[in-house]
Amino acid sequence: MTHPARQAPDPRDPAPAPAHDTLLPPTLGPRRTFALIAGVETYEVSHRWNLRGPARDALRFARWLTGPGEVPAANVRLLLSPLDDPDRLDWSGPPGLAALRDTYRPATEENAKTVLLDELPQCDGDLLWIFWAGHGYLDGHRQLMLPCADARPGRIRHLNLDSALRWWQTDLVKHRRFPLQAALVDACRVDAPRDTRWNFGSADYGGGATVPGRRQFRLYASREGEAAQNDAERGAGRFTEALLAELGDRSVRDGVTGLPHAARAVHRGFGELRGRGEGWQLPQFIVDRDWDASSFLDDDPPGPVLPRATRLDQTGWDGLGELFEGRELPRRAYEAYAWAFRAAGCTTPVGSGLPADTLLDVAWDLDQRQGGTAGLPLVVPFVQHLADRARRDGDGRPGAGAADPVWAARLAAWVRAARERLDLPALRPPPAPASRGAALHVRLEPPDDGGDGLRARMWLRGEQDRLVWESESAPVGLDAVRTALVRQLALLGADPGEGGGGPSYRGVERIEFQVPFELLETEFDRWPVPRGSAARTRPLGSLYEVSVRCPQEREATTRTEWRGTWRWLCAQDGRHPDTVRVVEDAEVTDTLGLRLGARPAPACVLGHTSAGRTPALLEALLEGGVPVAVWRRGGGAPVVEAPAVEAPAVDAPAVEVSAPPGLPALLAPEAGPGDPAVFALPARVREARRAAAGQQAEGADRLVLLWDDPEDVIDPRPLA
């Protein structure tokens, strides 16, 4: 039986390895080393995904590999999608890097799969390097997905690194090739968003039979659930910078032999960052296995004990047990949770929403995390924030909730006692809540006798609610209401010095219409409002945040679900991954309302329904107690052109792709994964309407926003 001829030894390659590195093939050298190097800075999904640094990190690694490593440029596959013009990148260095300038390709999914699953397996080598810098997400099976430059809303094209590495351990790569494989990833490892905008689909490249003896070394910039740090100003990932500092001027053989040592050094370096209080995430780095397939960090001698924050004592926990007993999560619980990390000088955890459903469990989570330079238990600023908001609530801002001065005083007393007992540093006060501008509340009701027309009243909502207009005893039509609304806006915006005759209310930002069920789809946002010259008008919804509400349909039967869902939404600050749900025609059944009301989530529904199913959708929203919703007036689910189906690779099944939804992309085209869009919806709907006025967002001129805060109500006085 004949075997494929091996390449002749290169004179630059080292002699057979001495005893201390007998785990490595004796022929390992530059000519038998191959690499995939990728740096992704731009993503088609949104400019908010863009980040500065990965392309430069990729070039830095390529500079080491083709410089001190002496790996031929022909052995390197470089994928780059930089923010800047590629010619502005630093291509200086060895001739091999200059050669890559003419051969690099965009970091697309197709190119990544072609290189990793087609081109490189055909090469005859001993060592494969995979270096990837960019974003990273974990799927439900804890597999690392690396988005590519052509990731789009509804289809996040990506490389499934775990699946690819499993593929490389099988006999689909010839037995005698690539016994050593090293994957270095400067990317986050946070959970992939559940929002359907960010559909990663599934990508499993399959594989054959596992080849014994193939060894993989994996080095990640972050642990599962944590973010990798990137210095955008310097254009450098902290992980890559630390790793290259350790590799220095080593040859490729010395570099791969010294990877375990480099890993330990980087691990210690990140530990020192924690010691200086630059983040609670320790380490933002993980080492998987040494070349002998064993974890080498387990055998490290004990290092210096890193400083830890003071933990809460038993007296403190006893006090919290009394303070939190019987208390639901307050409306600003997540705000207090995030503030605790900022107050202690720590990095806020990457993720969505609160870690638990009770105040005591949230406090326990904070106490377990630790961190910060001042030795401050994270629970203390958390309770301080709760006290501040309990004191401030009810300060005149619509929907702020009722103040609780007694509970606020008890919380503040607990904070003072904890500081004295544990000898803690002084706490800076939490920032004041963001104030909202005034609103105009328009209430429309059918007449008592069931005749034509409407009873109409308008309130100006600010520090106090003030009735500014009401219809006379006879019902009026919508045209009369529109005329009165335009007149009130002109009066409220007038300067007292210019004959306004009253106080100026230039802060009017919102107009809310409280209406019967039958008027929910009325085109209030399209009412023309004079603007500039006498002949020019603009749609009301492009000037103000216009919403509708229908509380009278909820009070009798679904009050409990409505209020419970709203409280959950506010406590989570709209950040929980289950907050928003897209509902399509097939889901609009007689039981949809029951299903929506079974749990606090979802608190916001985006309706992709046709005209015939929209009334049933609205009934289900009210029955289920859903306080926030967006849909297209008169129906009209988005018509999405199906993406082209790519021919699957021989060794990989086709990726499952779902059509991208319309409303999420329309309302948050620039949002990244995990972006808490709910409380930004009124402003985003207004921006979409403005874009529609400029003919840039098809269908946005038919958007309806339901915003029904049960804690933001007006007690109407009788009509005159």
Short mmCIF file of all heavy atoms in Angstrom, two decimals, residues 181-223:
data_model
loop_
_atom_site.label_atom_id
_atom_site.label_comp_id
_atom_site.label_asym_id
_atom_site.label_seq_id
_atom_site.Cartn_x
_atom_site.Cartn_y
_atom_site.Cartn_z
N GLN A 181 -4.67 21.37 16.27
CA GLN A 181 -5.57 22.43 15.84
C GLN A 181 -5.74 23.41 17.01
O GLN A 181 -6.05 22.99 18.13
CB GLN A 181 -6.93 21.87 15.41
CG GLN A 181 -6.83 20.85 14.28
CD GLN A 181 -8.04 19.94 14.21
OE1 GLN A 181 -9.09 20.23 14.78
NE2 GLN A 181 -7.89 18.82 13.50
N ALA A 182 -5.54 24.68 16.75
CA ALA A 182 -5.65 25.71 17.80
C ALA A 182 -6.65 26.77 17.35
O ALA A 182 -6.52 27.34 16.27
CB ALA A 182 -4.29 26.35 18.06
N ALA A 183 -7.67 26.99 18.17
CA ALA A 183 -8.69 28.01 17.89
C ALA A 183 -8.57 29.12 18.92
O ALA A 183 -8.67 28.87 20.13
CB ALA A 183 -10.09 27.39 17.93
N LEU A 184 -8.32 30.32 18.46
CA LEU A 184 -8.17 31.50 19.31
C LEU A 184 -9.29 32.47 18.93
O LEU A 184 -9.35 32.92 17.79
CB LEU A 184 -6.81 32.15 19.10
CG LEU A 184 -5.61 31.20 19.10
CD1 LEU A 184 -4.33 31.97 18.76
CD2 LEU A 184 -5.47 30.51 20.45
N VAL A 185 -10.16 32.80 19.88
CA VAL A 185 -11.37 33.57 19.56
C VAL A 185 -11.45 34.79 20.47
O VAL A 185 -11.59 34.65 21.69
CB VAL A 185 -12.64 32.71 19.72
CG1 VAL A 185 -13.87 33.51 19.31
CG2 VAL A 185 -12.52 31.44 18.88
N ASP A 186 -11.35 35.96 19.87
CA ASP A 186 -11.51 37.21 20.61
C ASP A 186 -12.94 37.70 20.36
O ASP A 186 -13.19 38.55 19.50
CB ASP A 186 -10.49 38.26 20.15
CG ASP A 186 -10.38 39.41 21.14
OD1 ASP A 186 -11.26 39.52 22.01
OD2 ASP A 186 -9.41 40.18 21.04
N ALA A 187 -13.89 37.15 21.10
CA ALA A 187 -15.31 37.47 20.90
C ALA A 187 -16.05 37.21 22.20
O ALA A 187 -15.59 36.46 23.06
CB ALA A 187 -15.90 36.61 19.77
N CYS A 188 -17.22 37.82 22.32
CA CYS A 188 -18.08 37.56 23.47
C CYS A 188 -18.66 36.15 23.37
O CYS A 188 -18.67 35.53 22.31
CB CYS A 188 -19.23 38.56 23.52
SG CYS A 188 -18.71 40.28 23.61
N ARG A 189 -19.15 35.66 24.49
CA ARG A 189 -19.84 34.37 24.52
C ARG A 189 -21.13 34.53 25.32
O ARG A 189 -21.38 33.84 26.29
CB ARG A 189 -18.94 33.29 25.11
CG ARG A 189 -17.66 33.07 24.32
CD ARG A 189 -16.73 32.12 25.02
NE ARG A 189 -17.20 30.74 24.94
CZ ARG A 189 -16.87 29.80 25.82
NH1 ARG A 189 -16.09 30.10 26.85
NH2 ARG A 189 -17.32 28.57 25.66
N VAL A 190 -21.95 35.49 24.88
CA VAL A 190 -23.21 35.77 25.54
C VAL A 190 -24.33 35.01 24.84
O VAL A 190 -24.19 34.60 23.68
CB VAL A 190 -23.52 37.28 25.55
CG1 VAL A 190 -22.45 38.04 26.33
CG2 VAL A 190 -23.61 37.84 24.14
N ASP A 191 -25.45 34.85 25.53
CA ASP A 191 -26.58 34.13 24.95
C ASP A 191 -27.12 34.88 23.74
O ASP A 191 -27.26 36.10 23.76
CB ASP A 191 -27.69 33.95 25.98
CG ASP A 191 -27.29 33.00 27.09
OD1 ASP A 191 -26.37 32.20 26.87
OD2 ASP A 191 -27.89 33.05 28.18
N ALA A 192 -27.46 34.14 22.71
CA ALA A 192 -28.05 34.74 21.52
C ALA A 192 -29.43 35.29 21.87
O ALA A 192 -30.17 34.67 22.64
CB ALA A 192 -28.17 33.71 20.40
N PRO A 193 -29.80 36.46 21.35
CA PRO A 193 -31.12 37.02 21.63
C PRO A 193 -32.23 36.10 21.15
O PRO A 193 -32.07 35.37 20.17
CB PRO A 193 -31.12 38.34 20.85
CG PRO A 193 -29.70 38.60 20.51
CD PRO A 193 -29.01 37.28 20.45
N ARG A 194 -33.36 36.16 21.84
CA ARG A 194 -34.50 35.32 21.45
C ARG A 194 -35.43 36.05 20.49
O ARG A 194 -36.35 35.45 19.95
CB ARG A 194 -35.28 34.90 22.69
CG ARG A 194 -34.43 34.15 23.71
CD ARG A 194 -35.26 33.73 24.91
NE ARG A 194 -34.42 33.29 26.01
CZ ARG A 194 -34.91 32.91 27.18
NH1 ARG A 194 -36.21 32.87 27.38
NH2 ARG A 194 -34.08 32.53 28.15
N ASP A 195 -35.23 37.34 20.32
CA ASP A 195 -36.06 38.11 19.41
C ASP A 195 -35.94 37.55 18.00
O ASP A 195 -34.84 37.25 17.52
CB ASP A 195 -35.62 39.58 19.44
CG ASP A 195 -36.62 40.51 18.78
OD1 ASP A 195 -37.15 40.14 17.72
OD2 ASP A 195 -36.87 41.59 19.33
N THR A 196 -37.07 37.43 17.30
CA THR A 196 -37.06 36.84 15.96
C THR A 196 -36.30 37.69 14.96
O THR A 196 -35.99 37.22 13.86
CB THR A 196 -38.49 36.62 15.45
OG1 THR A 196 -39.23 37.85 15.57
CG2 THR A 196 -39.18 35.52 16.25
N ARG A 197 -36.01 38.94 15.30
CA ARG A 197 -35.17 39.73 14.39
C ARG A 197 -33.79 39.11 14.24
O ARG A 197 -33.15 39.22 13.21
CB ARG A 197 -34.99 41.16 14.93
CG ARG A 197 -36.20 42.04 14.80
CD ARG A 197 -35.91 43.36 15.49
NE ARG A 197 -35.74 43.21 16.92
CZ ARG A 197 -35.47 44.21 17.75
NH1 ARG A 197 -35.30 45.42 17.28
NH2 ARG A 197 -35.36 44.01 19.04
N TRP A 198 -33.33 38.48 15.31
CA TRP A 198 -31.97 37.97 15.31
C TRP A 198 -32.00 36.45 15.18
O TRP A 198 -31.58 35.72 16.06
CB TRP A 198 -31.25 38.43 16.59
CG TRP A 198 -31.58 39.84 16.93
CD1 TRP A 198 -32.21 40.29 18.03
CD2 TRP A 198 -31.30 40.99 16.13
NE1 TRP A 198 -32.35 41.65 17.99
CE2 TRP A 198 -31.79 42.11 16.84
CE3 TRP A 198 -30.68 41.20 14.90
CZ2 TRP A 198 -31.70 43.41 16.34
CZ3 TRP A 198 -30.59 42.49 14.42
CH2 TRP A 198 -31.08 43.56 15.13
N ASN A 199 -32.52 35.99 14.06
CA ASN A 199 -32.66 34.56 13.81
C ASN A 199 -31.35 33.99 13.29
O ASN A 199 -30.94 34.28 12.17
CB ASN A 199 -33.78 34.32 12.79
CG ASN A 199 -33.83 32.89 12.32
OD1 ASN A 199 -33.67 31.98 13.12
ND2 ASN A 199 -34.01 32.69 11.03
N PHE A 200 -30.70 33.17 14.11
CA PHE A 200 -29.47 32.52 13.69
C PHE A 200 -29.74 31.23 12.92
O PHE A 200 -28.84 30.70 12.29
CB PHE A 200 -28.60 32.20 14.91
CG PHE A 200 -27.86 33.38 15.47
CD1 PHE A 200 -28.47 34.24 16.37
CD2 PHE A 200 -26.56 33.65 15.09
CE1 PHE A 200 -27.80 35.33 16.89
CE2 PHE A 200 -25.87 34.74 15.60
CZ PHE A 200 -26.49 35.58 16.51
N GLY A 201 -30.98 30.76 12.98
CA GLY A 201 -31.26 29.50 12.33
C GLY A 201 -30.44 28.38 12.97
O GLY A 201 -30.13 28.41 14.15
N SER A 202 -30.10 27.36 12.20
CA SER A 202 -29.27 26.27 12.71
C SER A 202 -28.21 25.95 11.67
O SER A 202 -28.46 26.01 10.47
CB SER A 202 -30.12 25.03 13.00
OG SER A 202 -30.73 24.54 11.82
N ALA A 203 -27.03 25.63 12.15
CA ALA A 203 -25.92 25.29 11.26
C ALA A 203 -25.13 24.17 11.91
O ALA A 203 -24.44 24.38 12.90
CB ALA A 203 -25.03 26.50 11.00
N ASP A 204 -25.28 22.96 11.38
CA ASP A 204 -24.52 21.81 11.86
C ASP A 204 -23.83 21.20 10.65
O ASP A 204 -24.48 20.76 9.71
CB ASP A 204 -25.45 20.80 12.53
CG ASP A 204 -24.68 19.65 13.17
OD1 ASP A 204 -23.45 19.58 12.96
OD2 ASP A 204 -25.30 18.84 13.87
N TYR A 205 -22.52 21.19 10.67
CA TYR A 205 -21.77 20.77 9.49
C TYR A 205 -21.55 19.26 9.44
O TYR A 205 -20.87 18.77 8.54
CB TYR A 205 -20.42 21.50 9.46
CG TYR A 205 -20.57 22.99 9.64
CD1 TYR A 205 -19.84 23.67 10.61
CD2 TYR A 205 -21.48 23.71 8.87
CE1 TYR A 205 -20.00 25.04 10.79
CE2 TYR A 205 -21.64 25.09 9.05
CZ TYR A 205 -20.91 25.74 10.02
OH TYR A 205 -21.08 27.09 10.20
N GLY A 206 -22.13 18.55 10.38
CA GLY A 206 -22.02 17.10 10.34
C GLY A 206 -20.62 16.62 10.64
O GLY A 206 -19.92 17.16 11.49
N GLY A 207 -20.18 15.59 9.97
CA GLY A 207 -18.85 15.04 10.19
C GLY A 207 -18.86 13.54 10.02
O GLY A 207 -19.91 12.90 9.87
N GLY A 208 -17.68 12.95 10.05
CA GLY A 208 -17.55 11.51 9.92
C GLY A 208 -17.20 10.88 11.24
O GLY A 208 -17.67 11.29 12.30
N ALA A 209 -16.34 9.86 11.18
CA ALA A 209 -15.89 9.17 12.39
C ALA A 209 -14.74 9.94 13.03
O ALA A 209 -13.85 10.46 12.35
CB ALA A 209 -15.44 7.75 12.04
N THR A 210 -14.74 9.99 14.35
CA THR A 210 -13.71 10.71 15.08
C THR A 210 -12.35 10.03 14.91
O THR A 210 -12.25 8.80 15.01
CB THR A 210 -14.05 10.79 16.57
OG1 THR A 210 -15.30 11.46 16.72
CG2 THR A 210 -12.97 11.54 17.35
N VAL A 211 -11.33 10.83 14.63
CA VAL A 211 -9.97 10.32 14.46
C VAL A 211 -9.24 10.40 15.79
O VAL A 211 -9.05 11.50 16.32
CB VAL A 211 -9.22 11.12 13.37
CG1 VAL A 211 -7.77 10.64 13.29
CG2 VAL A 211 -9.91 10.98 12.04
N PRO A 212 -8.83 9.26 16.36
CA PRO A 212 -8.10 9.31 17.63
C PRO A 212 -6.79 10.06 17.46
O PRO A 212 -6.13 10.00 16.43
CB PRO A 212 -7.86 7.83 17.96
CG PRO A 212 -8.84 7.07 17.13
CD PRO A 212 -9.04 7.88 15.89
N GLY A 213 -6.40 10.77 18.51
CA GLY A 213 -5.10 11.43 18.50
C GLY A 213 -5.13 12.86 18.03
O GLY A 213 -4.14 13.57 18.19
N ARG A 214 -6.21 13.29 17.40
CA ARG A 214 -6.28 14.72 17.02
C ARG A 214 -6.51 15.54 18.28
O ARG A 214 -7.42 15.27 19.06
CB ARG A 214 -7.42 14.95 16.02
CG ARG A 214 -6.97 14.67 14.60
CD ARG A 214 -7.69 15.59 13.61
NE ARG A 214 -7.17 15.30 12.28
CZ ARG A 214 -7.84 14.62 11.35
NH1 ARG A 214 -9.05 14.19 11.59
NH2 ARG A 214 -7.29 14.40 10.18
N ARG A 215 -5.71 16.58 18.43
CA ARG A 215 -5.80 17.38 19.64
C ARG A 215 -6.15 18.82 19.28
O ARG A 215 -5.61 19.38 18.32
CB ARG A 215 -4.48 17.32 20.41
CG ARG A 215 -4.14 15.90 20.86
CD ARG A 215 -2.92 15.87 21.77
NE ARG A 215 -1.69 16.22 21.07
CZ ARG A 215 -0.95 15.35 20.39
NH1 ARG A 215 -1.34 14.09 20.28
NH2 ARG A 215 0.17 15.72 19.81
N GLN A 216 -7.05 19.38 20.07
CA GLN A 216 -7.48 20.76 19.84
C GLN A 216 -7.18 21.59 21.09
O GLN A 216 -7.38 21.13 22.21
CB GLN A 216 -8.97 20.83 19.52
CG GLN A 216 -9.32 20.30 18.14
CD GLN A 216 -10.79 20.45 17.82
OE1 GLN A 216 -11.63 20.65 18.69
NE2 GLN A 216 -11.12 20.34 16.53
N PHE A 217 -6.73 22.79 20.83
CA PHE A 217 -6.46 23.76 21.90
C PHE A 217 -7.36 24.96 21.65
O PHE A 217 -7.31 25.56 20.58
CB PHE A 217 -4.99 24.18 21.85
CG PHE A 217 -4.58 25.08 22.99
CD1 PHE A 217 -4.00 24.54 24.12
CD2 PHE A 217 -4.75 26.44 22.92
CE1 PHE A 217 -3.60 25.35 25.16
CE2 PHE A 217 -4.36 27.26 23.96
CZ PHE A 217 -3.78 26.71 25.09
N ARG A 218 -8.22 25.26 22.61
CA ARG A 218 -9.17 26.37 22.43
C ARG A 218 -8.88 27.45 23.45
O ARG A 218 -8.73 27.16 24.64
CB ARG A 218 -10.61 25.89 22.58
CG ARG A 218 -10.96 24.74 21.64
CD ARG A 218 -12.45 24.45 21.73
NE ARG A 218 -12.79 23.20 21.09
CZ ARG A 218 -14.03 22.76 20.91
NH1 ARG A 218 -15.04 23.50 21.35
NH2 ARG A 218 -14.26 21.62 20.32
N LEU A 219 -8.85 28.65 22.99
CA LEU A 219 -8.56 29.79 23.84
C LEU A 219 -9.60 30.86 23.53
O LEU A 219 -9.69 31.33 22.40
CB LEU A 219 -7.16 30.31 23.50
CG LEU A 219 -6.25 30.79 24.63
CD1 LEU A 219 -6.11 29.75 25.71
CD2 LEU A 219 -4.89 31.14 24.05
N TYR A 220 -10.42 31.22 24.52
CA TYR A 220 -11.49 32.19 24.30
C TYR A 220 -11.24 33.45 25.13
O TYR A 220 -10.65 33.39 26.21
CB TYR A 220 -12.84 31.60 24.71
CG TYR A 220 -13.25 30.39 23.93
CD1 TYR A 220 -13.44 29.17 24.56
CD2 TYR A 220 -13.44 30.45 22.56
CE1 TYR A 220 -13.82 28.04 23.85
CE2 TYR A 220 -13.82 29.33 21.84
CZ TYR A 220 -14.00 28.13 22.49
OH TYR A 220 -14.38 27.02 21.78
N ALA A 221 -11.71 34.55 24.62
CA ALA A 221 -11.54 35.82 25.33
C ALA A 221 -12.51 35.98 26.48
O ALA A 221 -12.39 36.92 27.25
CB ALA A 221 -11.71 36.99 24.36
N SER A 222 -13.49 35.11 26.59
CA SER A 222 -14.50 35.27 27.65
C SER A 222 -15.07 33.92 28.01
O SER A 222 -15.03 32.97 27.23
CB SER A 222 -15.62 36.21 27.20
OG SER A 222 -16.24 35.71 26.03
N ARG A 223 -15.60 33.85 29.22
CA ARG A 223 -16.31 32.66 29.65
C ARG A 223 -17.73 32.69 29.10
O ARG A 223 -18.20 33.70 28.60
CB ARG A 223 -16.34 32.59 31.18
CG ARG A 223 -14.97 32.44 31.81
CD ARG A 223 -15.07 32.36 33.32
NE ARG A 223 -15.60 33.61 33.89
CZ ARG A 223 -15.88 33.77 35.17
NH1 ARG A 223 -15.71 32.78 36.01
NH2 ARG A 223 -16.34 34.92 35.62
#
